[in-house]
Each structure stands twice: as structure tokens, then as C-alpha cells.
Amino acid sequence: MISRELIAASTEPLVLSLLQRGENYGYAIAEKVRTFSKGEMEWTEGMLYPVLHRLERRGLLKSRWEAVNGERKRRYYSLTAKGRESLGKRRQEWLAVHETLTEAWGA
Amino acid sequence: MFDLEQSLRQWRQEIEATLAFSSEEIDELEDHLRFSVDAKLKEGLTPENAWTRSLGGLGPASALALEFAKDKLMPALWRLLIAWWRPALLLFLFGLTFSFCVQQGYQEAQPGYIFDPWVSEPKLWGMAWVCLVATLILLPDKAQKNAVLAGIGNAFCLIPLLHILFYNPLTEKIIGTGWGHMAASFGWLPISLSLICLLVLNVWWWKRNAANEEISVLLAVAGTLILVLALSPFVGEGIGNLSIREVYHMPTASEVTFTGNIQSDFLKWKFVDVLIVSVIYIANILPFGLALLICAGIFIIRGLARNRVIKAPMRNEIFPSLPTLPWLMALVGSGFCWVLGSFLEPPVSQNLRQAEKAVFHPSTNYGGLEIMVLLSALFFFICGYELTRKLARASRIRLFYAAMLVTFELVMGLGLLPLFPALPSDSPPTVSAEPEWLTWLLGLAVLLMAFCQTFLMIRKLRHQVGVISLWKFEGRNLLELGLTLGLIFAGSGLILYMVAVVMAFESTSVISAMIAWGNSIKDPAVNHFYPQIYGTPDHLAFWVTSGIGYLSFCLAAGLGAVIVLSALEFIRFNSFRLYKIRKARQGLAETLVLSE
């Protein structure tokens, strides 16, 4: 099980990465995290939404509402140009950390 | 049979009540829940299990609310205001009209005529109807609708209260000329009964329909009424600057004392007057004001605790919901006695003893004291019983809760104490037709109950209340600190009060000496110890305002303290979270540096 601190730190890049593949909604994002991490990353699902909203406020994401099954409506999120840029940067950071750690352990 | 839609509705209500979410955010979370439940149903879970697990996966409402609210950096009270501005505005308008009409009614009333607070009846009812219709059309939310309706109802409850205040033979004695006959024409009993019925109806309605946040709106109405009435001397004729200062005697007292400017007879007289009056006001304001503060605090903190936006030192399962109200009513009832004392004090009494007598003596033939004492005893019994039961059942008693209880008991008990020495001595202000033994018996019963309960509670909770709890205070929660300090202040207030009482009963007391001195000085204006300004019906508004002024002072102080404490707690709690997050990040960074 991955520690809380690490999950908190990785949430934003993870969400951005998952949305890189196209727009999606909250539940599906949470599901994907569960599948990808093979259950290693345990989220309180509700906590995903403040993160999404924060990212949207910072202009990294945009969202739209879509009606499904008549009365219900769903909120879809997608990356903005700024979001892509930020993801690129984050990606490099995480890769650097990963490489450093691999190097350190490998030696 | 499990009903998903029903559960969803309940969950929605619960999460809406936290006020930390916008409706879009709740929609989004609901969509998530539905997805989750569907997925779990497909896995073969029963609907109930699917629901419970989905809810667990989403996280508890309290944690979510904290997370969502943190992001918005918006204190709960502010959000409350945003969510409730429409009912608050409606009630404010109604309160304004109400205060205006009632005040006009009193001003236009003349001795010898039947006083009619409905002198502006068409306006009042008109406004009430406008408010009601606007409420029904404009407010879609049921809780808000009920809040406005209950608020209007509560305002009308004030009318019989004002009747009681002005239409009794005692008031006639004070302001003279036939006012008391009107009291006879109205009668205590029907007024009291209608008052009780209205209150009961209100309570029932409130408990049944209204949301928790309603108390804030009700307080807003009370605040409006109080503010308008308190400000009215600034507007009215004949009540000059001096009177406004009289409303808050304390500054005058200090002014005279500190400038030392007591050369003229008038100022000397003023000094004596103010000093005596101050003692009474201190006695009145401190216990009652603090009790009210605590009460307002409970409601607000309880509201916030239920919203769980801040961490409150209290849990709903321990704090009983229904008995809260009788408790509040008992407090306000006893507070009412004190305010009444403030109304009566200067003309009737030249010392505290007389003032207490004026309030508590059965000087009417209509059973005023008995009703008051019986009501107090009833409320006292109901809430005392409930509280004791809940306390006994709760495995762990919270400091806050216990402290409130003990303070309340003390205030009630000590508040009734002066009744006894005052009664048998001298002749009462007016002729009493009541058997004294009845008064004694009733008072004794209440006092006995108060002290037994206080004793039991203190014995049971002696490690958790008062100074000891301050000693044990760990700085976890500012609200706790504030309330502990409040408790200590209340204790000091009670001690002061006792001192004042003792001084008043002491025949050779400082006050008596002061009175003698004051009596020897001729007031330049009317050649009398008390100027006529107090006694004429023209200045009735002054007494209304001064009483309500104290009330507003207590309320404002209490509310202010609670709001400041809540805000501090909100900031502290969130900065603590931020601190933790920062520290975690720092730790992570350090780990990375070390690994390199």
C-alpha cells in the first residue's frame, strides 16, 4: 500500500495523465486509478472532486455538463493546452525522481 | 425494503446541510454514487450493501465537507449568509415594520384609554401578509419557508410579552394614572396562556419542520428588533443625549468618577444614581448575559458541528436536541426576570433589595410570580431530567456539555436566591393578596431542585469543570478555551452578583450610605431624588429601549464572541492542515535529497 503523502503528491499528475487520453468523468477516473495501480493506491473517491475542481480553477482542466438518461447529468473533464503543458513538466519531474531512485537503488 | 432513491435523498439532505457544497458539486457526487452502486449491483451485492460500500468509498460527508470548504476558503457563517440571505432579508423587513408598529402603538397609547399595540395594525398585518406571500412565492426551499414563518410567529409572541410588561398593577404603581386598569381589562391569565400557547406552537413547528440553520435567522430577527428599538431614542423627541447615555449607565458612571467633576448637586445626584444602578446592572448583565452567550454559542457551535465544517467539542448523540429548547426558554425566562428588574428599578427601588422585591414579589392579584416560578420550575424540571438522563447514559461526558449544565444550574439557582430574604421584610411596593407560604413553597422547590442537581453534577463531573478543566486544557480547541473562559467569567459574575446582593441586604451598606447622601442632595430640576423623567409615560420608550439595550448588549457580546471564536477555530484548524501538508511535502523532498 502506497503511503498517504505519496498519493497526495501524485494525485494531480495522475489525474492529468488519465485525462490526456480524452475527456472523462469522475467515477471513470477513480476506476482507472484503481485498475492501473492494481489496488495499491487507495483513494477516498470523494476527494478526487476537490482536486478536479482545483485543477479547473487553475485552468489546467475544463469541464462541461452532459445530460444522460433523461434527468441525470454528468460532468466531463478534459485537458486544456495549459494542462498539457503542465503535465509535460510534471512528467519530467516524476521521471527525474524515478531515475534518481532507480540509480540510487541500482548502485 | 431498501430504497435507493430514498437513501440518496437522505444523503443529499445531509450533505446539503453542511453548506460546503454547491448544488452542482452535489449532483456530481450523486452521479458518482449512482455509478458506484450500479457497478456493485452488477458484482452481485445486495442493494443495501452496494449502497453502504459506495458511500464508504466516497468518504464520510464530514471529511468531504472539510475538503470542499477548505478549497473555497469560506467560513461556514459566510456561506450560511449567502445561502440564507433571502429569508434573512424578508425577516429583516418584517422585523423593521414590526418594531416600528409596536413602538408607535406604545407612543400613541394614552393613560385612560385602552392601550393598543395594534394601533398600526393595518401596517403590521399588511407587512406580515406581504412577507408571507413573498415567502411562499420566492422561497423554494422548505426549510427557508418554515424559518420565515416561524420567525414571524416568534415576533408576534413578543406582543403578549409586551402586554405583560406594561399592563399590570405594578407598572401602574410606577408610571401611575390608570395604566394598571387596562391590565385588569386584559388580565394576566389569558395573556400568559396565549403566550405559552404561542411559544409551544412555535417550538413544535420549529422542531418539526425547520432546519438547523434557522436559529441563525431567528437570531437575525431578534437582532433587528433589538437594534431598531435600541436606536429609537436617537430618533424620538424628548429623549436627549443624557437619556441615551442612561441607556448604558456605565460610561456615565466612569465619566463622573474619573473626571472627578462632581461639583454640582446634579452631578452628585447623578453619581449616586448611576453607582447604585450600575451595581444592579452588573448583577443583571453578568449572569444573564453570559447565560445567553453560552446559549447562543451552543446553537451556533451545534450548527457548525452538525455541518462539521469545524471540529466542535461536542457530539450530537450526547447533546440532546429536544431538551435544548426548554433549556433555552428557561434561561431566557430567567433572563426576562432580570430585564424586567432593570425596567422597574429606578422608580420603584432605591436599592437592589427593592428591585428584587419589585420583580419577584407577588404584588399582583393575577399570579404573575406564580406563573413565572411554575414555568421556570417546569422548564427546569424537563430539561434537568433530560440532561441528567442523557448524561447518565453517555459513557463519556464532554467538558463543554457538563460545564454548560453546571453554569445553567448555578445561574438559575442563584438567580432565585434573593427571593427569600426580600419577601418577608418591610412592606411590599403594592398590596399583596397572595399567601406568602405559596410563594415560599414554590421558590423553595425550585431552589432545592437547582442545588440538588448542581451538587450531583459537580460531584459527578468535578474533574471536568471549572478551573480544573482550564488546568487540563491542552490547546486542542479554541472553542473549548473560549467556553472555559466564559465559564470562569460567569463564575466571577455570580460572585459579583452575590456581593451585590449581600451589599443590598446589609442595612449599613455602602449603597444605603450612598442613598442617604443622595437623598440629602436636592436634584436641581425636580427637587427629588429621582427626576420625573423616569416616571412619565412619555418616556416609556426609554425603558423599553434600555431593557432591550441590555439584551442587545448581551446578545451582541455573546454572538460576537462566538463568531470570533468560530472564525479563529476555522483558521486554526485549516492552517494546521496546511502545516501538515507542507511538512509532508518537506519530508518527501528530504527523502529524495537523501536518496541522491
Side-chain angles (χ1 to χ4, degrees):
Chain A
M1 203 64 80
I2 298 169
S3 74
R4 264 167 182 278
E5 286 82 7
L6 206 54
I7 289 181
S10 63
T11 306
E12 287 190 9
L14 193 54
V15 168
L16 290 174
S17 313
L18 289 171
L19 286 171
Q20 199 187 11
R21 308 175 171 209
E23 68 172 3
N24 223 333
Y25 51 92
Y27 183 78
I29 297 172
E31 273 299 293
K32 276 189 180 171
V33 171
R34 196 174 305 130
T35 336
F36 285 178
S37 73
K38 297 175 189 73
E40 281 291 313
M41 286 183 78
E42 194 141 296
W43 275 17
T44 310
E45 288 165 16
M47 297 301 181
L48 171 67
Y49 292 96
V51 175
L52 285 170
H53 300 159
R54 210 176 302 144
L55 289 172
E56 193 184 358
R57 264 200 303 282
R58 276 159 49 193
L60 305 183
L61 296 183
K62 59 176 189 275
S63 72
R64 65 182 182 87
W65 286 91
E66 196 181 285
V68 281
N69 307 345
E71 268 188 36
R72 282 171 70 176
K73 49 182 190 163
R74 188 162 301 148
R75 194 173 186 178
Y76 283 91
Y77 295 88
S78 56
L79 274 185
T80 61
K82 202 175 161 192
R84 277 176 208 291
E85 198 182 311
S86 164
L87 176 60
K89 236 192 219 159
R90 294 291 185 89
R91 196 184 143 91
Q92 277 173 359
E93 282 172 10
W94 277 90
L95 281 177
V97 171
H98 178 75
E99 273 168 30
T100 317
L101 285 173
T102 322
E103 195 78 14
W105 294 326
Chain B
M1 191 63 204
F2 178 74
D3 181 1
L4 178 66
E5 293 303 317
Q6 172 79 20
S7 306
L8 266 169
R9 263 198 303 280
Q10 269 175 11
W11 169 82
R12 239 191 122 93
Q13 274 172 5
E14 188 192 335
I15 210 148
E16 268 167 5
T18 65
L19 295 169
F21 305 87
S22 70
S23 63
E24 280 198 338
E25 284 166 351
I26 301 177
D27 284 345
E28 198 176 14
L29 289 173
E30 188 184 328
D31 187 46
H32 183 106
L33 268 178
R34 281 178 189 277
F35 252 120
S36 181
V37 170
D38 284 349
K40 287 185 171 58
L41 284 175
K42 274 180 200 153
E43 283 171 22
L45 264 71
T46 63
E48 202 164 354
N49 276 340
W51 168 252
T52 325
R53 290 213 189 163
S54 303
L55 214 57
L58 191 70
S62 53
L64 287 179
L66 195 64
E67 206 59 32
F68 275 77
K70 189 184 86 181
D71 248 25
K72 285 160 195 150
L73 284 175
M74 199 181 263
L77 285 172
W78 180 240
R79 290 193 57 78
L80 197 71
L81 194 68
I82 289 177
W84 281 72
W85 72 269
R86 280 185 303 186
L89 184 71
L90 273 175
L91 282 172
F92 176 80
L93 287 176
F94 177 74
L96 214 65
T97 325
F98 182 85
S99 321
F100 175 74
C101 294
V102 169
Q103 212 209 338
Q104 203 182 16
Y106 280 105
Q107 274 173 359
E108 288 180 18
Q110 294 297 321
Y113 295 91
I114 288 182
F115 165 81
D116 187 8
W118 307 109
V119 81
S120 318
E121 201 174 357
K123 275 182 239 161
L124 189 59
W125 283 113
M127 191 61 202
W129 277 111
V130 168
C131 278
L132 284 178
V133 173
T135 304
L136 296 175
I137 296 173
L138 289 180
L139 299 179
D141 187 71
K142 196 180 165 209
Q144 296 192 348
K145 242 176 224 169
N146 285 325
V148 177
L149 297 180
I152 292 173
N154 278 328
F156 278 95
C157 278
L158 280 177
I159 293 285
L161 266 176
L162 292 172
H163 272 292
I164 291 172
L165 202 60
F166 289 106
Y167 297 123
N168 60 73
L170 190 61
T171 313
E172 184 195 355
K173 274 284 167 199
I174 303 158
I175 53 183
T177 55
W179 284 63
H181 296 307
M182 286 175 278
S185 74
F186 278 99
W188 268 86
L189 199 62
I191 293 172
S192 307
L193 279 180
S194 69
L195 173 72
I196 296 162
C197 286
L198 271 170
L199 276 175
V200 169
L201 203 68
N202 252 292
V203 170
W204 174 76
W205 195 347
W206 182 21
K207 286 310 294 180
R208 195 181 162 89
N209 293 318
N212 207 28
E213 290 74 23
E214 187 199 332
I215 188 66
S216 312
V217 182
L218 291 182
L219 283 175
V221 191
T224 313
L225 289 173
I226 285 161
L227 196 71
V228 170
L229 287 174
L231 287 177
S232 59
F234 290 93
V235 191
E237 271 179 48
I239 302 170
N241 285 331
L242 187 69
S243 297
I244 294 163
R245 276 198 297 177
E246 289 280 350
V247 173
Y248 302 96
H249 280 269
M250 295 301 287
T252 319
S254 38
E255 184 190 315
V256 176
T257 314
F258 289 113
T259 55
N261 184 15
I262 43 172
Q263 303 299 316
S264 72
D265 275 355
F266 181 75
L267 280 175
K268 275 182 196 162
W269 161 79
K270 204 82 211 140
F271 178 67
V272 179
D273 173 35
V274 159
L275 198 72
I276 296 163
V277 165
S278 307
V279 175
I280 296 171
Y281 289 158
I282 288 172
N284 287 343
I285 287 172
L286 279 176
F288 169 45
L290 280 159
L292 211 61
L293 183 154
I294 290 164
C295 242
I298 285 170
F299 268 98
I300 291 177
I301 293 162
R302 193 166 154 247
L304 289 176
R306 183 167 285 184
N307 296 342
R308 299 195 184 95
V309 174
I310 62 159
K311 204 167 164 243
M314 188 170 68
R315 294 287 175 274
N316 290 332
E317 64 268 21
I318 290 187
F319 196 88
S321 58
L322 191 64
T324 319
L325 215 60
W327 189 37
L328 178 81
M329 284 157 76
L331 271 175
V332 172
S334 66
F336 182 65
C337 288
W338 297 120
V339 174
L340 196 66
S342 312
F343 275 80
L344 300 177
E345 134 277 315
V348 172
S349 59
Q350 295 183 354
N351 61 24
L352 188 59
R353 181 186 193 165
Q354 292 278 20
E356 298 297 347
K357 205 186 289 175
V359 179
F360 287 110
H361 203 279
S363 52
T364 71
N365 293 323
Y366 305 101
L369 175 76
E370 281 72 13
I371 289 176
M372 200 72 93
V373 173
L374 268 179
L375 274 183
S376 299
L378 184 68
F379 290 143
F380 199 40
F381 178 74
I382 293 171
C383 56
Y385 170 74
E386 273 298 321
L387 292 178
T388 318
R389 201 168 60 89
K390 294 263 172 178
L391 272 176
R393 206 193 274 168
S395 54
R396 195 168 146 245
I397 299 153
R398 300 204 173 249
L399 152 76
F400 171 77
Y401 183 64
M404 295 304 101
L405 181 73
V406 173
T407 312
F408 165 61
E409 307 277 357
L410 281 172
V411 168
M412 280 297 286
L414 294 176
L416 286 169
L417 193 64
L419 179 63
F420 299 102
L423 278 178
S425 63
D426 302 329
S427 57
T430 49
V431 183
S432 166
E434 300 295 332
E436 261 179 20
W437 60 265
L438 182 64
T439 317
W440 272 85
L441 209 66
L442 283 170
L444 203 66
V446 175
L447 260 187
L448 202 68
M449 236 174 0
F451 283 114
C452 283
Q453 233 165 12
T454 309
F455 173 72
L456 285 175
M457 286 302 140
I458 289 179
R459 224 188 70 169
K460 202 168 175 182
L461 312 167
R462 61 184 183 277
H463 299 304
Q464 285 177 291
V465 292
V467 184
I468 306 166
S469 64
L470 189 67
W471 179 289
K472 280 166 71 183
F473 177 69
E474 289 166 9
R476 274 174 320 199
N477 197 312
L478 276 173
L479 285 172
E480 233 173 276
L481 176 66
L483 288 161
T484 312
L485 287 177
L487 195 72
I488 290 168
F489 281 129
S492 321
L494 286 172
I495 292 167
L496 259 178
Y497 177 70
M498 291 309 288
V499 170
V501 171
V502 169
M503 276 172 76
F505 291 144
E506 193 62 48
S507 58
T508 55
S509 69
V510 180
I511 292 184
S512 298
M514 284 285 190
I515 292 169
W517 183 50
N519 271 329
S520 70
I521 305 161
K522 297 294 177 204
D523 177 22
V526 287
N527 210 19
H528 186 266
F529 181 66
Y530 284 105
Q532 285 302 308
I533 188 170
Y534 291 122
T536 58
D538 290 346
H539 294 89
L540 208 57
F542 165 67
W543 293 109
V544 177
T545 51
S546 85
I548 291 172
Y550 304 126
L551 203 63
S552 67
F553 172 75
C554 299
L555 261 179
L559 274 178
V562 169
I563 288 171
V564 167
L565 282 172
S566 310
L568 278 176
E569 174 58 20
F570 182 82
I571 294 166
R572 188 201 64 85
F573 188 62
N574 279 314
S575 47
F576 179 62
R577 286 179 63 87
L578 288 176
Y579 165 76
K580 265 174 76 179
I581 292 170
R582 211 174 296 142
K583 210 165 170 198
R585 282 198 187 138
Q586 223 170 30
L588 190 66
E590 275 167 17
T591 320
L592 293 178
V593 170
L594 279 177
S595 313
E596 268 182 39

